[in-house]
Amino acid sequence: MPNSISMSLGSVFAGYVMHRTGRYKTINLTFGWLPFIGASLVASLRRDSSAFLTWMGIVRKPCLFACSPTYDYQAPLGFGNAVVLQTMLIALLIHLPESQMAVGTGFGQLFRGIGQVGGVAISSAIFQSKLDTELRRRITGPDAAELIEKIRHSSQVVGTLPPALQKHARDAYETSLKSVFIFSAGSTLLAFLVRAPIPDRSLDERERGPAGETAAPSTAPLSSSTTPAESAPVDDSDASTHVQPVRTRRRRLSTFESPDGAIDPERRNAR
């Protein structure tokens, strides 16, 4: 629940800030540290960690490192990831020509999915490998191999073990989870360094054009029957007094808004 709320708030916050400022890189670099901080907090947890640090790191059950290897990440990780995902999507769209947006967003979602699946797979491999090593080092005896397999397949078995074996199993889980979140912290730090050189660009540039220029007014071609001599004379002295100022379109919070910022009832009814 805390992770879901923080991700929702992070997405709304990122969208609002980009709407107000017209920039995405500053907020990306500012809040891009939060995933690294959140993963580092989880990796630094111990059994005697304070309640505040535990809440800031993860929220699950009081039996830390002994209930389940899956935890709900808390505010820094969820909020930071939401801000990063939204700003990076906007950065991708603002640098793509309109004719390539479909292909660009498709590849963006493809690589995002690969990253998510690959991250889960690598983390699971690290956890299981480290857990197997730690359990085999701590638990010995004639039935140790069978017991280790049960512990690896279900963490609920830990609660049914004798106190001495419970301690060994909890220590193995603790060490294995730390390894996973150390890897996670390193990955988020690497991702931050990769995002740092991304160029910044105003969100208004697509509306104004690459150099803030507007299209020149089109002129109707002269009829074949009309000669330059027959065309009406143009008074250049009055041309400068009737030039209409170019008004820049404002960014819209909703697709129902007109470029002037008012709600367009015809657009709403058309939908």
Side-chain angles (χ1 to χ4, degrees):
M1 179 63 71
N3 182 53
S4 301
I5 294 176
S6 61
M7 289 192 68
S8 301
L9 293 177
S11 299
V12 175
F13 173 77
Y16 177 77
V17 171
M18 287 188 290
H19 168 75
R20 297 291 297 177
T21 63
R23 298 286 179 175
Y24 54 84
K25 186 171 183 178
T26 301
I27 183 177
N28 184 290
L29 296 181
T30 302
F31 293 90
W33 286 102
L34 291 182
F36 172 73
I37 294 174
S40 300
L41 286 175
V42 178
S44 64
L45 287 177
R46 301 187 307 273
R47 297 183 190 181
D48 56 348
S49 297
S50 63
F52 175 77
L53 183 60
T54 304
W55 190 88
M56 289 297 293
I58 56 177
V59 171
R60 180 65 173 181
K61 297 179 182 178
C63 45
L64 189 62
F65 299 124
C67 294
S68 174
T70 58
Y71 296 90
D72 297 326
Y73 308 106
Q74 186 48 303
L77 204 57
F79 191 90
N81 281 330
V83 172
V84 168
L85 291 177
Q86 297 301 321
T87 53
M88 291 307 299
L89 176 61
I90 297 301
L92 173 66
L93 295 178
I94 199 65
H95 285 88
L96 285 175
E98 293 184 1
S99 61
Q100 301 297 326
M101 276 192 178
V103 177
T105 53
F107 272 99
Q109 294 296 328
L110 171 65
F111 286 110
R112 181 180 296 183
I114 292 175
Q116 292 175 344
V117 175
V120 172
I122 295 174
S123 299
S124 299
I126 293 174
F127 175 78
Q128 288 294 335
S129 177
K130 188 67 175 178
L131 180 62
D132 182 72
T133 302
E134 293 295 324
L135 288 174
R136 292 184 185 279
R137 186 172 64 85
R138 288 179 168 87
I139 300 177
T140 58
D143 298 330
E146 182 180 357
L147 181 60
I148 289 173
E149 286 299 319
K150 291 181 179 180
I151 295 175
R152 288 183 58 192
H153 285 83
S154 176
S155 60
Q156 302 297 328
V157 177
V158 177
T160 63
L161 297 176
L165 290 178
Q166 276 193 26
K167 183 180 184 304
H168 292 319
R170 292 184 180 186
D171 291 341
Y173 266 99
E174 180 177 354
T175 304
S176 304
L177 287 171
K178 282 181 179 294
S179 301
V180 171
F181 286 104
I182 289 174
F183 166 76
S184 176
S187 300
T188 54
L189 179 61
L190 178 62
F192 178 84
L193 297 177
V194 171
R195 295 194 307 269
I198 293 177
D200 195 12
R201 186 174 175 182
S202 174
L203 300 183
D204 296 324
E205 289 186 12
R206 185 176 293 277
E207 297 179 356
R208 294 196 303 263
E213 300 175 353
T214 56
S218 59
T219 57
L222 294 176
S223 173
S224 58
S225 61
T226 304
T227 63
E230 297 174 354
S231 59
V234 178
D235 189 0
D236 294 338
S237 61
D238 296 337
S240 60
T241 60
H242 294 84
V243 175
Q244 296 294 331
V246 178
R247 191 167 66 180
T248 304
R249 293 176 57 191
R250 62 184 293 274
R251 293 183 301 277
R252 295 178 291 173
L253 280 174
S254 170
T255 55
F256 292 122
E257 288 188 24
S258 67
D260 297 331
I263 300 297
D264 190 351
E266 295 183 358
R267 185 188 298 265
R268 182 187 294 272
N269 295 332
R271 289 176 176 266

